[in-house]
mmCIF file of all heavy atoms in Angstrom:
data_model
loop_
_atom_site.group_PDB
_atom_site.id
_atom_site.type_symbol
_atom_site.label_atom_id
_atom_site.label_comp_id
_atom_site.label_asym_id
_atom_site.label_seq_id
_atom_site.Cartn_x
_atom_site.Cartn_y
_atom_site.Cartn_z
ATOM 1 N N GLU A 1 0.887 -1.179 -0.018
ATOM 2 C CA GLU A 1 -0.077 0.011 -0.040
ATOM 3 C C GLU A 1 0.826 1.268 0.068
ATOM 4 O O GLU A 1 0.565 2.240 -0.684
ATOM 5 C CB GLU A 1 -0.913 -0.051 1.185
ATOM 6 C CG GLU A 1 -1.937 -1.147 1.208
ATOM 7 C CD GLU A 1 -2.727 -1.101 2.502
ATOM 8 O OE1 GLU A 1 -2.883 0.027 3.204
ATOM 9 O OE2 GLU A 1 -3.375 -2.153 2.906
ATOM 10 N N LEU A 2 1.867 1.265 0.756
ATOM 11 C CA LEU A 2 2.896 2.432 0.757
ATOM 12 C C LEU A 2 3.415 2.703 -0.584
ATOM 13 O O LEU A 2 3.531 3.757 -1.103
ATOM 14 C CB LEU A 2 3.913 2.115 1.866
ATOM 15 C CG LEU A 2 5.032 3.159 1.872
ATOM 16 C CD1 LEU A 2 4.472 4.495 2.141
ATOM 17 C CD2 LEU A 2 6.170 2.719 2.915
ATOM 18 N N ASN A 3 3.928 1.647 -1.128
ATOM 19 C CA ASN A 3 4.515 1.792 -2.544
ATOM 20 C C ASN A 3 3.508 2.252 -3.583
ATOM 21 O O ASN A 3 3.777 3.138 -4.453
ATOM 22 C CB ASN A 3 5.145 0.424 -3.053
ATOM 23 C CG ASN A 3 6.264 0.119 -2.201
ATOM 24 O OD1 ASN A 3 6.999 0.932 -1.592
ATOM 25 N ND2 ASN A 3 6.470 -1.282 -2.090
ATOM 26 N N GLN A 4 2.305 1.776 -3.491
ATOM 27 C CA GLN A 4 1.187 2.393 -4.305
ATOM 28 C C GLN A 4 0.862 3.806 -4.094
ATOM 29 O O GLN A 4 0.600 4.561 -5.093
ATOM 30 C CB GLN A 4 -0.102 1.475 -4.090
ATOM 31 C CG GLN A 4 -1.190 1.706 -5.129
ATOM 32 C CD GLN A 4 -2.421 0.868 -4.981
ATOM 33 O OE1 GLN A 4 -2.361 0.095 -4.212
ATOM 34 N NE2 GLN A 4 -3.339 1.065 -5.702
ATOM 35 N N ILE A 5 0.647 4.239 -2.805
ATOM 36 C CA ILE A 5 0.409 5.503 -2.527
ATOM 37 C C ILE A 5 1.580 6.488 -2.814
ATOM 38 O O ILE A 5 1.408 7.608 -3.307
ATOM 39 C CB ILE A 5 0.073 5.696 -0.971
ATOM 40 C CG1 ILE A 5 -1.244 4.984 -0.609
ATOM 41 C CG2 ILE A 5 -0.057 7.150 -0.669
ATOM 42 C CD1 ILE A 5 -2.463 5.473 -1.349
ATOM 43 N N ALA A 6 2.807 6.060 -2.687
ATOM 44 C CA ALA A 6 4.037 6.851 -3.006
ATOM 45 C C ALA A 6 3.997 7.307 -4.412
ATOM 46 O O ALA A 6 4.540 8.551 -4.704
ATOM 47 C CB ALA A 6 5.244 6.097 -2.588
ATOM 48 N N ARG A 7 3.429 6.470 -5.230
ATOM 49 C CA ARG A 7 3.447 6.963 -6.777
ATOM 50 C C ARG A 7 2.465 8.098 -7.126
ATOM 51 O O ARG A 7 2.844 8.756 -8.043
ATOM 52 C CB ARG A 7 3.029 5.740 -7.585
ATOM 53 C CG ARG A 7 4.097 4.598 -7.681
ATOM 54 C CD ARG A 7 3.745 3.597 -8.870
ATOM 55 N NE ARG A 7 2.486 2.860 -8.547
ATOM 56 C CZ ARG A 7 2.546 1.596 -8.090
ATOM 57 N NH1 ARG A 7 3.592 1.073 -7.568
ATOM 58 N NH2 ARG A 7 1.402 1.105 -7.763
ATOM 59 N N HIS A 8 1.605 8.304 -6.159
ATOM 60 C CA HIS A 8 0.606 9.381 -6.447
ATOM 61 C C HIS A 8 0.857 10.689 -5.463
ATOM 62 O O HIS A 8 0.217 11.672 -5.749
ATOM 63 C CB HIS A 8 -0.827 8.961 -6.062
ATOM 64 C CG HIS A 8 -1.295 7.772 -6.797
ATOM 65 N ND1 HIS A 8 -1.692 7.911 -8.122
ATOM 66 C CD2 HIS A 8 -1.279 6.528 -6.477
ATOM 67 C CE1 HIS A 8 -1.995 6.687 -8.586
ATOM 68 N NE2 HIS A 8 -1.846 5.778 -7.574
ATOM 69 N N CYS A 9 2.005 10.591 -4.848
ATOM 70 C CA CYS A 9 2.379 11.776 -3.918
ATOM 71 C C CYS A 9 3.385 12.612 -4.661
ATOM 72 O O CYS A 9 4.205 12.182 -5.679
ATOM 73 C CB CYS A 9 3.039 11.244 -2.626
ATOM 74 S SG CYS A 9 1.930 10.303 -1.561
ATOM 75 N N PRO A 10 3.516 13.925 -4.279
ATOM 76 C CA PRO A 10 4.552 14.830 -4.884
ATOM 77 C C PRO A 10 5.892 14.309 -4.467
ATOM 78 O O PRO A 10 6.125 13.766 -3.501
ATOM 79 C CB PRO A 10 4.296 16.139 -4.223
ATOM 80 C CG PRO A 10 3.494 15.830 -2.960
ATOM 81 C CD PRO A 10 2.649 14.516 -3.282
ATOM 82 N N GLN A 11 6.905 14.405 -5.336
ATOM 83 C CA GLN A 11 8.265 13.974 -5.177
ATOM 84 C C GLN A 11 8.988 15.135 -4.606
ATOM 85 O O GLN A 11 9.546 16.039 -5.301
ATOM 86 C CB GLN A 11 8.821 13.537 -6.441
ATOM 87 C CG GLN A 11 8.154 12.249 -7.021
ATOM 88 C CD GLN A 11 7.833 11.131 -6.116
ATOM 89 O OE1 GLN A 11 8.926 10.685 -5.520
ATOM 90 N NE2 GLN A 11 6.750 10.693 -5.843
ATOM 91 N N ASN A 12 9.151 15.227 -3.299
ATOM 92 C CA ASN A 12 10.080 16.139 -2.747
ATOM 93 C C ASN A 12 10.669 15.586 -1.409
ATOM 94 O O ASN A 12 10.379 14.318 -1.119
ATOM 95 C CB ASN A 12 9.376 17.500 -2.353
ATOM 96 C CG ASN A 12 7.991 17.145 -1.694
ATOM 97 O OD1 ASN A 12 7.838 16.339 -0.745
ATOM 98 N ND2 ASN A 12 6.839 17.721 -2.223
ATOM 99 N N ILE A 13 11.442 16.344 -0.728
ATOM 100 C CA ILE A 13 12.131 15.760 0.490
ATOM 101 C C ILE A 13 11.157 15.408 1.630
ATOM 102 O O ILE A 13 11.371 14.430 2.426
ATOM 103 C CB ILE A 13 13.116 16.847 0.934
ATOM 104 C CG1 ILE A 13 14.120 16.188 2.025
ATOM 105 C CG2 ILE A 13 12.362 18.011 1.666
ATOM 106 C CD1 ILE A 13 15.244 17.046 2.341
ATOM 107 N N VAL A 14 9.923 16.112 1.641
ATOM 108 C CA VAL A 14 8.969 15.691 2.623
ATOM 109 C C VAL A 14 8.331 14.317 2.322
ATOM 110 O O VAL A 14 8.134 13.526 3.239
ATOM 111 C CB VAL A 14 7.872 16.829 2.879
ATOM 112 C CG1 VAL A 14 6.904 16.469 3.931
ATOM 113 C CG2 VAL A 14 8.477 18.039 2.961
ATOM 114 N N SER A 15 8.085 14.122 1.054
ATOM 115 C CA SER A 15 7.540 12.744 0.762
ATOM 116 C C SER A 15 8.529 11.608 1.031
ATOM 117 O O SER A 15 8.302 10.615 1.315
ATOM 118 C CB SER A 15 7.042 12.787 -0.709
ATOM 119 O OG SER A 15 8.183 13.014 -1.595
ATOM 120 N N PHE A 16 9.713 12.090 0.849
ATOM 121 C CA PHE A 16 11.028 11.154 1.214
ATOM 122 C C PHE A 16 10.913 10.776 2.616
ATOM 123 O O PHE A 16 11.167 9.652 2.925
ATOM 124 C CB PHE A 16 12.257 11.875 0.743
ATOM 125 C CG PHE A 16 13.404 10.922 0.549
ATOM 126 C CD1 PHE A 16 13.478 9.829 -0.201
ATOM 127 C CD2 PHE A 16 14.594 11.254 1.412
ATOM 128 C CE1 PHE A 16 14.481 8.979 -0.316
ATOM 129 C CE2 PHE A 16 15.654 10.298 1.308
ATOM 130 C CZ PHE A 16 15.739 9.221 0.455
ATOM 131 N N MET A 17 10.736 11.732 3.469
ATOM 132 C CA MET A 17 10.625 11.486 4.889
ATOM 133 C C MET A 17 9.480 10.749 5.205
ATOM 134 O O MET A 17 9.395 9.944 6.089
ATOM 135 C CB MET A 17 10.603 12.929 5.612
ATOM 136 C CG MET A 17 12.044 13.681 5.442
ATOM 137 S SD MET A 17 11.873 15.295 6.241
ATOM 138 C CE MET A 17 11.582 14.781 7.939
ATOM 139 N N PHE A 18 8.224 11.035 4.493
ATOM 140 C CA PHE A 18 7.011 10.247 4.687
ATOM 141 C C PHE A 18 7.256 8.717 4.544
ATOM 142 O O PHE A 18 6.887 7.912 5.269
ATOM 143 C CB PHE A 18 5.917 10.867 3.860
ATOM 144 C CG PHE A 18 4.829 9.735 3.619
ATOM 145 C CD1 PHE A 18 3.868 9.452 4.663
ATOM 146 C CD2 PHE A 18 4.703 9.320 2.371
ATOM 147 C CE1 PHE A 18 2.860 8.603 4.404
ATOM 148 C CE2 PHE A 18 3.750 8.441 2.166
ATOM 149 C CZ PHE A 18 2.847 8.087 3.154
ATOM 150 N N HIS A 19 7.943 8.463 3.381
ATOM 151 C CA HIS A 19 8.224 7.087 2.997
ATOM 152 C C HIS A 19 9.128 6.494 4.151
ATOM 153 O O HIS A 19 8.983 5.292 4.559
ATOM 154 C CB HIS A 19 9.037 7.017 1.664
ATOM 155 C CG HIS A 19 8.874 5.697 1.072
ATOM 156 N ND1 HIS A 19 9.875 4.664 1.419
ATOM 157 C CD2 HIS A 19 8.110 5.166 0.083
ATOM 158 C CE1 HIS A 19 9.580 3.594 0.757
ATOM 159 N NE2 HIS A 19 8.504 3.810 -0.055
ATOM 160 N N LEU A 20 10.190 7.202 4.507
ATOM 161 C CA LEU A 20 10.959 6.643 5.678
ATOM 162 C C LEU A 20 10.265 6.361 6.901
ATOM 163 O O LEU A 20 10.309 5.235 7.458
ATOM 164 C CB LEU A 20 12.115 7.652 5.875
ATOM 165 C CG LEU A 20 13.023 7.479 7.212
ATOM 166 C CD1 LEU A 20 13.794 6.193 6.954
ATOM 167 C CD2 LEU A 20 13.983 8.674 7.274
ATOM 168 N N HIS A 21 9.460 7.430 7.378
ATOM 169 C CA HIS A 21 8.704 7.276 8.583
ATOM 170 C C HIS A 21 7.773 6.099 8.403
ATOM 171 O O HIS A 21 7.645 5.374 9.456
ATOM 172 C CB HIS A 21 8.005 8.531 8.882
ATOM 173 C CG HIS A 21 7.018 8.542 10.038
ATOM 174 N ND1 HIS A 21 7.411 8.416 11.272
ATOM 175 C CD2 HIS A 21 5.646 8.416 10.013
ATOM 176 C CE1 HIS A 21 6.358 8.349 12.095
ATOM 177 N NE2 HIS A 21 5.214 8.414 11.341
ATOM 178 N N THR A 22 6.894 5.994 7.361
ATOM 179 C CA THR A 22 5.911 4.930 7.246
ATOM 180 C C THR A 22 6.563 3.512 7.159
ATOM 181 O O THR A 22 6.083 2.497 7.739
ATOM 182 C CB THR A 22 5.083 5.039 6.004
ATOM 183 O OG1 THR A 22 4.548 6.502 6.024
ATOM 184 C CG2 THR A 22 3.959 4.160 5.986
ATOM 185 N N SER A 23 7.740 3.400 6.599
ATOM 186 C CA SER A 23 8.520 2.134 6.529
ATOM 187 C C SER A 23 8.818 1.715 8.046
ATOM 188 O O SER A 23 8.756 0.530 8.275
ATOM 189 C CB SER A 23 9.683 2.258 5.714
ATOM 190 O OG SER A 23 9.300 2.642 4.289
ATOM 191 N N LEU A 24 9.287 2.657 8.660
ATOM 192 C CA LEU A 24 9.551 2.256 10.085
ATOM 193 C C LEU A 24 8.407 1.881 10.795
ATOM 194 O O LEU A 24 8.486 0.984 11.732
ATOM 195 C CB LEU A 24 10.372 3.399 10.759
ATOM 196 C CG LEU A 24 11.767 3.663 10.372
ATOM 197 C CD1 LEU A 24 12.344 4.967 11.006
ATOM 198 C CD2 LEU A 24 12.574 2.625 10.682
ATOM 199 N N GLU A 25 7.337 2.572 10.593
ATOM 200 C CA GLU A 25 5.991 2.186 11.353
ATOM 201 C C GLU A 25 5.585 0.801 10.858
ATOM 202 O O GLU A 25 4.842 0.102 11.593
ATOM 203 C CB GLU A 25 4.963 3.217 10.854
ATOM 204 C CG GLU A 25 5.098 4.481 11.521
ATOM 205 C CD GLU A 25 4.727 4.412 13.137
ATOM 206 O OE1 GLU A 25 3.671 3.876 13.574
ATOM 207 O OE2 GLU A 25 5.669 4.975 13.863
ATOM 208 N N LEU A 26 6.029 0.299 9.686
ATOM 209 C CA LEU A 26 5.654 -1.044 9.231
ATOM 210 C C LEU A 26 6.835 -1.973 9.595
ATOM 211 O O LEU A 26 6.876 -3.088 8.855
ATOM 212 C CB LEU A 26 5.402 -1.046 7.736
ATOM 213 C CG LEU A 26 4.302 -0.307 7.290
ATOM 214 C CD1 LEU A 26 4.197 -0.083 5.757
ATOM 215 C CD2 LEU A 26 3.002 -0.776 7.715
ATOM 216 N N TYR A 27 7.742 -1.637 10.513
ATOM 217 C CA TYR A 27 8.773 -2.507 10.907
ATOM 218 C C TYR A 27 9.758 -2.844 9.910
ATOM 219 O O TYR A 27 10.323 -4.005 10.006
ATOM 220 C CB TYR A 27 8.239 -3.755 11.733
ATOM 221 C CG TYR A 27 6.978 -3.440 12.496
ATOM 222 C CD1 TYR A 27 5.733 -3.802 12.282
ATOM 223 C CD2 TYR A 27 7.364 -2.707 13.788
ATOM 224 C CE1 TYR A 27 4.733 -3.631 13.167
ATOM 225 C CE2 TYR A 27 6.254 -2.501 14.669
ATOM 226 C CZ TYR A 27 5.016 -2.867 14.256
ATOM 227 O OH TYR A 27 3.936 -2.632 15.131
ATOM 228 N N GLN A 28 10.052 -2.070 8.962
ATOM 229 C CA GLN A 28 11.005 -2.284 7.797
ATOM 230 C C GLN A 28 12.397 -2.050 8.488
ATOM 231 O O GLN A 28 12.634 -1.085 9.271
ATOM 232 C CB GLN A 28 10.734 -1.526 6.600
ATOM 233 C CG GLN A 28 9.353 -1.894 5.899
ATOM 234 C CD GLN A 28 9.229 -3.222 5.347
ATOM 235 O OE1 GLN A 28 9.889 -3.557 4.439
ATOM 236 N NE2 GLN A 28 8.551 -4.068 6.094
ATOM 237 N N GLN A 29 13.336 -2.830 7.947
ATOM 238 C CA GLN A 29 14.752 -2.463 8.225
ATOM 239 C C GLN A 29 15.667 -2.827 7.119
ATOM 240 O O GLN A 29 16.810 -3.587 7.327
ATOM 241 C CB GLN A 29 15.098 -3.118 9.652
ATOM 242 C CG GLN A 29 14.748 -4.651 9.843
ATOM 243 C CD GLN A 29 15.882 -5.596 9.373
ATOM 244 O OE1 GLN A 29 17.016 -5.229 9.524
ATOM 245 N NE2 GLN A 29 15.507 -6.783 8.857
ATOM 246 N N THR A 30 15.403 -2.582 5.907
ATOM 247 C CA THR A 30 16.199 -2.891 4.713
ATOM 248 C C THR A 30 17.264 -2.061 4.539
ATOM 249 O O THR A 30 17.419 -0.927 5.057
ATOM 250 C CB THR A 30 15.260 -2.832 3.489
ATOM 251 O OG1 THR A 30 14.903 -1.459 3.375
ATOM 252 C CG2 THR A 30 14.068 -3.732 3.638
ATOM 253 N N PRO A 31 18.302 -2.453 3.784
ATOM 254 C CA PRO A 31 19.517 -1.581 3.492
ATOM 255 C C PRO A 31 19.204 -0.324 2.691
ATOM 256 O O PRO A 31 19.738 0.861 2.948
ATOM 257 C CB PRO A 31 20.467 -2.456 2.549
ATOM 258 C CG PRO A 31 20.037 -3.876 2.893
ATOM 259 C CD PRO A 31 18.520 -3.803 3.114
ATOM 260 N N ASN A 32 18.106 -0.364 1.893
ATOM 261 C CA ASN A 32 17.669 0.855 1.080
ATOM 262 C C ASN A 32 17.146 1.926 2.217
ATOM 263 O O ASN A 32 17.303 3.066 2.050
ATOM 264 C CB ASN A 32 16.549 0.604 0.161
ATOM 265 C CG ASN A 32 17.199 -0.279 -1.038
ATOM 266 O OD1 ASN A 32 18.354 -0.158 -1.339
ATOM 267 N ND2 ASN A 32 16.352 -0.955 -1.686
ATOM 268 N N LEU A 33 16.356 1.398 3.165
ATOM 269 C CA LEU A 33 15.979 2.401 4.186
ATOM 270 C C LEU A 33 17.109 3.009 4.916
ATOM 271 O O LEU A 33 17.055 4.150 5.240
ATOM 272 C CB LEU A 33 15.000 1.485 5.081
ATOM 273 C CG LEU A 33 14.177 2.311 6.101
ATOM 274 C CD1 LEU A 33 13.173 3.285 5.358
ATOM 275 C CD2 LEU A 33 13.327 1.350 6.990
ATOM 276 N N ALA A 34 18.131 2.209 5.183
ATOM 277 C CA ALA A 34 19.231 2.769 6.046
ATOM 278 C C ALA A 34 19.891 3.925 5.194
ATOM 279 O O ALA A 34 20.451 4.866 5.673
ATOM 280 C CB ALA A 34 20.228 1.595 6.309
ATOM 281 N N ASN A 35 20.116 3.548 3.854
ATOM 282 C CA ASN A 35 20.753 4.510 2.953
ATOM 283 C C ASN A 35 19.901 5.688 2.762
ATOM 284 O O ASN A 35 20.458 6.908 2.817
ATOM 285 C CB ASN A 35 20.817 3.883 1.596
ATOM 286 C CG ASN A 35 21.873 2.781 1.544
ATOM 287 O OD1 ASN A 35 22.788 2.667 2.307
ATOM 288 N ND2 ASN A 35 21.686 1.895 0.561
ATOM 289 N N SER A 36 18.617 5.677 2.755
ATOM 290 C CA SER A 36 17.723 6.862 2.669
ATOM 291 C C SER A 36 17.837 7.787 4.050
ATOM 292 O O SER A 36 18.036 8.926 4.003
ATOM 293 C CB SER A 36 16.244 6.455 2.401
ATOM 294 O OG SER A 36 15.966 5.757 1.350
ATOM 295 N N LEU A 37 17.970 7.029 5.173
ATOM 296 C CA LEU A 37 18.189 7.693 6.423
ATOM 297 C C LEU A 37 19.509 8.478 6.427
ATOM 298 O O LEU A 37 19.564 9.572 6.974
ATOM 299 C CB LEU A 37 17.911 6.731 7.494
ATOM 300 C CG LEU A 37 18.098 7.254 9.004
ATOM 301 C CD1 LEU A 37 16.940 8.370 9.114
ATOM 302 C CD2 LEU A 37 17.789 6.168 9.922
ATOM 303 N N GLU A 38 20.600 7.799 5.904
ATOM 304 C CA GLU A 38 21.899 8.497 5.923
ATOM 305 C C GLU A 38 21.816 9.688 5.036
ATOM 306 O O GLU A 38 22.479 10.669 5.413
ATOM 307 C CB GLU A 38 22.902 7.465 5.427
ATOM 308 C CG GLU A 38 23.250 6.359 6.431
ATOM 309 C CD GLU A 38 23.800 6.835 7.808
ATOM 310 O OE1 GLU A 38 24.425 7.963 7.701
ATOM 311 O OE2 GLU A 38 23.620 6.282 8.720
ATOM 312 N N GLN A 39 21.119 9.561 3.827
ATOM 313 C CA GLN A 39 21.088 10.758 2.967
ATOM 314 C C GLN A 39 20.387 11.944 3.604
ATOM 315 O O GLN A 39 20.769 13.071 3.511
ATOM 316 C CB GLN A 39 20.355 10.382 1.722
ATOM 317 C CG GLN A 39 21.038 9.414 0.838
ATOM 318 C CD GLN A 39 20.222 9.011 -0.346
ATOM 319 O OE1 GLN A 39 19.579 9.857 -0.919
ATOM 320 N NE2 GLN A 39 20.343 7.805 -0.769
ATOM 321 N N LEU A 40 19.378 11.624 4.428
ATOM 322 C CA LEU A 40 18.586 12.817 5.078
ATOM 323 C C LEU A 40 19.422 13.315 6.257
ATOM 324 O O LEU A 40 19.472 14.585 6.500
ATOM 325 C CB LEU A 40 17.262 12.229 5.681
ATOM 326 C CG LEU A 40 16.143 12.061 4.509
ATOM 327 C CD1 LEU A 40 14.923 11.360 5.104
ATOM 328 C CD2 LEU A 40 15.656 13.400 4.011
ATOM 329 N N SER A 41 20.118 12.328 6.833
ATOM 330 C CA SER A 41 20.856 12.837 8.041
ATOM 331 C C SER A 41 22.126 13.755 7.512
ATOM 332 O O SER A 41 22.564 14.660 8.354
ATOM 333 C CB SER A 41 21.546 11.642 8.776
ATOM 334 O OG SER A 41 20.534 10.825 9.312
ATOM 335 N N SER A 42 22.538 13.617 6.325
ATOM 336 C CA SER A 42 23.582 14.506 5.787
ATOM 337 C C SER A 42 23.139 15.879 5.561
ATOM 338 O O SER A 42 23.821 16.886 5.524
ATOM 339 C CB SER A 42 24.196 13.899 4.560
ATOM 340 O OG SER A 42 23.168 13.838 3.523
ATOM 341 N N ILE A 43 21.727 15.914 5.293
ATOM 342 C CA ILE A 43 21.188 17.305 5.198
ATOM 343 C C ILE A 43 20.770 17.939 6.491
ATOM 344 O O ILE A 43 20.960 19.192 6.606
ATOM 345 C CB ILE A 43 19.910 17.242 4.244
ATOM 346 C CG1 ILE A 43 20.337 16.431 2.926
ATOM 347 C CG2 ILE A 43 19.272 18.507 3.950
ATOM 348 C CD1 ILE A 43 19.146 16.273 1.959
ATOM 349 N N PHE A 44 20.198 17.128 7.363
ATOM 350 C CA PHE A 44 19.752 17.684 8.686
ATOM 351 C C PHE A 44 20.753 16.902 9.659
ATOM 352 O O PHE A 44 20.239 15.989 10.338
ATOM 353 C CB PHE A 44 18.308 17.321 8.901
ATOM 354 C CG PHE A 44 17.491 17.940 7.766
ATOM 355 C CD1 PHE A 44 16.962 17.201 6.802
ATOM 356 C CD2 PHE A 44 17.148 19.272 7.703
ATOM 357 C CE1 PHE A 44 16.183 17.641 5.708
ATOM 358 C CE2 PHE A 44 16.227 19.717 6.742
ATOM 359 C CZ PHE A 44 15.765 18.835 5.748
ATOM 360 N N PRO A 45 21.840 17.294 9.964
ATOM 361 C CA PRO A 45 22.761 16.479 10.788
ATOM 362 C C PRO A 45 22.365 16.472 12.251
ATOM 363 O O PRO A 45 22.599 15.472 12.991
ATOM 364 C CB PRO A 45 24.069 17.203 10.710
ATOM 365 C CG PRO A 45 23.767 18.641 10.232
ATOM 366 C CD PRO A 45 22.535 18.541 9.477
#
């Protein structure tokens, strides 16, 4: 459902954070999620 909704959302940094937050709410812990978190942390240290 998250992947389906993400296709209809605007593509910006807030939607990027939304995808990260929702993935954590769904108990995800994939390498892609860790990479996304590192990218955001480099912007907001």
Side-chain angles (χ1 to χ4, degrees):
E1 295 178 21
L2 173 61
N3 295 332
Q4 183 179 3
I5 294 298
R7 290 195 292 267
H8 301 286
C9 293
Q11 300 303 311
N12 51 44
I13 194 168
V14 186
S15 64
F16 195 57
M17 293 175 61
F18 158 72
H19 196 281
L20 169 67
H21 171 73
T22 308
S23 297
L24 288 174
E25 288 290 308
L26 296 173
Y27 313 113
Q28 298 295 290
Q29 47 95 30
T30 61
N32 289 337
L33 193 62
N35 293 335
S36 300
L37 185 55
E38 289 297 332
Q39 293 178 33
L40 283 172
S41 298
S42 65
I43 302 174
F44 307 101

